[in-house]
Amino acid sequence: MKGEKAVIAMINYTIDVNDANINRNQGFLDGMGIDTLDAGKLYDEPLTGRYSAGDYEIACSEIGHGTPDGGRTAMENCLSKNPDINLVYAINEPSASGAYEALRAAGKEKDVVLVTVDGSCEGVRLIKEGVIGADSQQYPYRMASLGVEAIKKLIETGEKPQTSEGRDFFNTGVELITDKPVDGVKSITSDDAAKICWGN
Amino acid sequence: MNSTDATAKAATAQTYRTAKDFAHRDLGALGNLRRFLYQNPAISPAIVLLLAGLVFGLTNERFFRLSNFSLIFQQVSIVGTLAIAQTLIILTAGIDLSIGAVMIFSTVAMAKAHLILGWSGPACLAVGLLTGIVAGGLNGLLITKIKLPPFIVTLGTLSIFYALSILTTDGLTTRGTALPPALTWTGSYFRLFDVNMSYGIPLMLGLYALVAYMLKNTAFGYHIYAVGNDVEASRLVGLRPERVLLAVYMMAGAITVFAAWIFMGRINGVSPNGAVDANLDSITAVVIGGTSLFGGRGLVWGTLLGALIVGVFRNGLSLAGLDVLYQTLAVGILIIVAVALDQWIRKASA
């Protein structure tokens, strides 16, 4: 974004108040350097203000049901409301791919940065194609294997699992994937991510 | 019965010399309104759509832009097309909960015909059409031959077709770039009044016109209303309701595939993880559009209005910057009002 004003579209999951819906949303805003106020609450952020590199405006908060068709409808309504959107957060890869179709239909796919969370092999291919700009990759297999190991340890030795330092959960790790790395932000390329992605 | 009542009855009987007199008798202001709404089931949704459009247009100047109208039609085109099929089924006093799952399953079949067999676009579309008709036929056979209630049959096939879609794709999306262009053609644009319109819009409107013509001008159309009104009465006048029902479910399956075609264009690909609310959204459109869930009364154009009302509320409330919760809330209230109105109207004698 290089310090220009960020006009943001937020494409959330559903109207449910679930952890992934809130944490991904608030994590994105936090990463932008926007004060999320209560990190457990959606929509309480000021709609305009300063992020770490300039001014921001949250142009819309829609729901996309985490699906491609829902993501497209959400993005269309956002663009109808504010055609100047240049940064899109989508809750997951399917809704990001739908949002991309809406941007393409409006001829804006080159001017807008689209970011999301998942890091499946399918999503990594979308990064390679240039559909998604940046993607936070999670590791569900590691979550499961470490989780089962922790249970085994608990049963055999009675030792309770510890949370990661400074967190109220055990961090199984996350990598930012992008083919357009930015100085000062640690990231991996889509080729690297393809080796460690989940799914087919 | 006392003599005063008898005199009143005699007087009433004398007033209506002909059936026509009886049909046009004065029922008082409220009664006349009810009769008018009974005879014109698309009037109330049309009024709601106009009012909603007016309010949203006055509160946000972006709403009335032609490009925004084009967007609403595009957004409505998938559920709007599914709702045509749903209207036919609800007119027979049935219901189809599997309609969205059949749609997704037929997109998967079309993608597989290309990815595995290497078939061309038109051949894939034919495979899709066949899939839809067979799926609808399966619903129809279970309902007419094994005499299971439509609600239960389609609740079952909903799970079956959803599971089959996921099983055959591993839950993976196929991008439009890997498919024949014919499959995603509905998502491409033409210019109308300087605004981009997708080919899915005229496709949907064409289907509405076709089905409206069939319902109004063909014997089969009248048979659908007759079976929906009263199965036994339709049997007594010589219809074979089982045949009519089976044909309706197969026809609905075929229409579902057109929705599938529009869906593939809109997401530019095939994904088993889409259209999660399409089953219920199609019923919402039919009900808000004034078609009675008890069968036998309703117009397919009303369904288009119903689908547009939902689309206009979603788009308008979103432009107004209201929390998405209010969109969901508004649609819920609309459904209750529409069904309550239907109950009240049904008390009218035509």
Side-chain angles (χ1 to χ4, degrees):
Chain A
M1 308 288 298
K2 299 197 182 75
E4 63 180 301
K5 185 182 176 190
V7 184
I8 308 169
M10 304 288 291
I11 301 179
N12 298 309
Y13 181 45
T14 63
I15 60 171
D16 300 350
V17 185
N18 67 47
D19 283 353
N21 201 14
I22 295 172
N23 292 344
R24 291 181 180 196
N25 172 306
Q26 301 283 297
F28 162 78
L29 293 173
D30 191 44
M32 285 288 293
I34 294 170
D35 183 5
T36 61
L37 303 180
D38 183 348
K41 201 168 176 350
L42 293 175
Y43 314 132
D44 65 339
E45 298 77 29
L47 293 181
T48 54
R50 298 274 301 169
Y51 74 104
S52 52
D55 290 328
Y56 78 86
E57 176 188 350
I58 298 176
C60 66
S61 291
E62 291 283 320
I63 56 170
H65 298 282
T67 62
D69 48 317
R72 177 163 185 171
T73 298
M75 190 70 238
E76 285 171 343
N77 286 345
C78 283
L79 284 174
S80 237
K81 196 174 165 205
N82 189 336
D84 300 327
I85 288 165
N86 56 13
L87 176 59
V88 179
Y89 152 84
I91 178 91
N92 65 359
E93 286 159 356
S95 50
S97 77
Y100 177 80
E101 291 307 324
L103 292 167
R104 201 168 61 101
K108 290 179 183 294
E109 77 275 21
K110 299 259 191 303
D111 317 326
V112 175
V113 179
L114 181 56
V115 301
T116 188
V117 185
D118 269 349
S120 73
C121 297
E122 203 172 342
V124 171
R125 286 193 288 273
L126 291 177
I127 299 167
K128 187 122 187 107
E129 278 185 54
V131 170
I132 295 173
D135 194 347
S136 287
Q137 186 168 42
Q138 301 185 327
Y139 303 99
Y141 296 142
R142 199 186 299 162
M143 292 176 197
S145 63
L146 291 176
V148 173
E149 274 169 30
I151 294 167
K152 186 165 174 267
K153 205 168 173 185
L154 177 65
I155 295 167
E156 287 179 355
T157 69
E159 189 187 325
K160 285 186 183 161
Q162 300 291 312
T163 56
S164 300
E165 205 181 320
R167 307 275 185 180
D168 55 2
F169 57 90
F170 184 85
N171 189 358
T172 55
V174 63
E175 296 285 352
L176 185 70
I177 321 166
T178 180
D179 287 338
K180 294 171 197 143
V182 180
D183 282 344
V185 180
K186 187 172 158 283
S187 63
I188 61 175
T189 64
S190 60
D191 289 330
D192 294 335
K195 291 170 199 148
I196 50 173
C197 61
W198 50 272
N200 294 300
Chain B
M1 188 186 292
N2 63 41
S3 61
T4 337
D5 277 349
T7 325
K9 268 230 151 139
T12 315
Q14 273 175 356
T15 320
Y16 313 119
R17 291 242 159 72
T18 65
K20 203 176 171 200
D21 282 348
F22 180 74
H24 291 95
R25 73 196 183 283
D26 190 19
L27 298 169
L30 210 58
N32 286 341
L33 173 70
R34 187 152 75 176
R35 183 171 59 194
F36 177 70
L37 292 176
Y38 185 89
Q39 288 162 347
N40 301 280
I43 287 288
S44 28
I47 293 170
V48 172
L49 184 59
L50 275 176
L51 284 178
L54 216 61
V55 170
F56 290 128
L58 289 175
T59 50
N60 193 321
E61 47 100 23
R62 288 184 181 279
F63 179 82
F64 269 143
R65 293 192 181 175
L66 215 53
S67 56
N68 194 47
F69 283 161
S70 163
L71 275 188
I72 294 175
F73 268 93
Q74 289 176 52
Q75 293 170 355
V76 156
S77 57
I78 301 169
V79 166
T81 306
L82 280 180
I84 301 173
Q86 192 70 262
T87 306
L88 291 177
I89 288 171
I90 290 181
L91 279 177
T92 68
I95 194 115
D96 191 344
L97 300 175
S98 72
I99 206 160
V102 170
M103 173 180 85
I104 296 294
F105 185 63
S106 63
T107 65
V108 170
M110 287 186 257
K112 290 288 166 191
H114 178 74
L115 297 174
I116 297 175
L117 303 171
W119 288 6
S120 68
C124 293
L125 286 171
V127 168
L129 195 60
L130 192 69
T131 309
I133 293 172
V134 168
L138 175 69
N139 281 336
L141 281 176
L142 289 169
I143 289 161
T144 54
K145 296 287 173 205
I146 311 190
K147 311 278 180 208
L148 301 175
F151 187 94
I152 302 299
V153 167
T154 56
L155 189 62
T157 50
L158 159 68
S159 296
I160 292 171
F161 287 117
Y162 178 63
L164 285 177
S165 301
I166 301 286
L167 277 173
T168 46
T169 56
D170 287 333
L172 288 177
T173 302
T174 307
R175 299 262 301 148
T177 41
L179 295 170
L183 293 188
T184 51
W185 169 78
T186 52
S188 45
Y189 285 120
F190 62 96
R191 299 286 286 179
L192 187 71
F193 306 123
D194 226 28
V195 164
N196 280 338
M197 301 270 177
S198 73
Y199 284 103
I201 300 174
L203 184 64
M204 171 184 77
L205 295 177
L207 278 169
Y208 268 99
L210 208 66
V211 170
Y213 178 86
M214 181 198 78
L215 286 175
K216 195 166 191 287
N217 297 304
T218 69
F220 183 64
Y222 280 84
H223 294 170
I224 293 176
Y225 282 103
V227 169
N229 251 322
D230 191 329
V231 179
E232 288 318 310
S234 73
R235 207 188 304 277
L236 289 173
V237 297
L239 289 182
R240 300 166 84 169
E242 285 78 17
R243 279 198 184 179
V244 175
L245 283 175
L246 184 59
V248 163
Y249 278 90
M250 288 171 78
M251 191 180 280
I255 295 169
T256 303
V257 178
F258 285 92
W261 197 10
I262 297 172
F263 177 78
M264 292 189 292
R266 234 178 112 64
I267 72 164
N268 186 24
V270 166
S271 167
N273 308 306
V276 279
D277 293 331
N279 296 311
L280 295 179
D281 284 352
S282 69
I283 298 172
T284 303
V286 176
V287 170
I288 294 179
T291 293
S292 170
L293 276 173
F294 302 97
R297 198 185 75 89
L299 289 175
V300 75
W301 290 116
T303 300
L304 178 61
L305 296 174
L308 284 173
I309 287 171
V310 175
V312 160
F313 264 81
R314 294 239 158 102
N315 175 276
L317 289 172
S318 144
L319 287 188
L322 275 177
D323 190 327
V324 283
L325 274 170
Y326 291 100
Q327 301 174 23
T328 312
L329 190 72
V331 172
I333 292 170
L334 275 175
I335 294 173
I336 301 294
V337 170
V339 176
L341 191 67
D342 177 53
Q343 283 286 25
W344 179 70
I345 292 170
R346 283 174 62 84
K347 288 182 191 147
S349 46

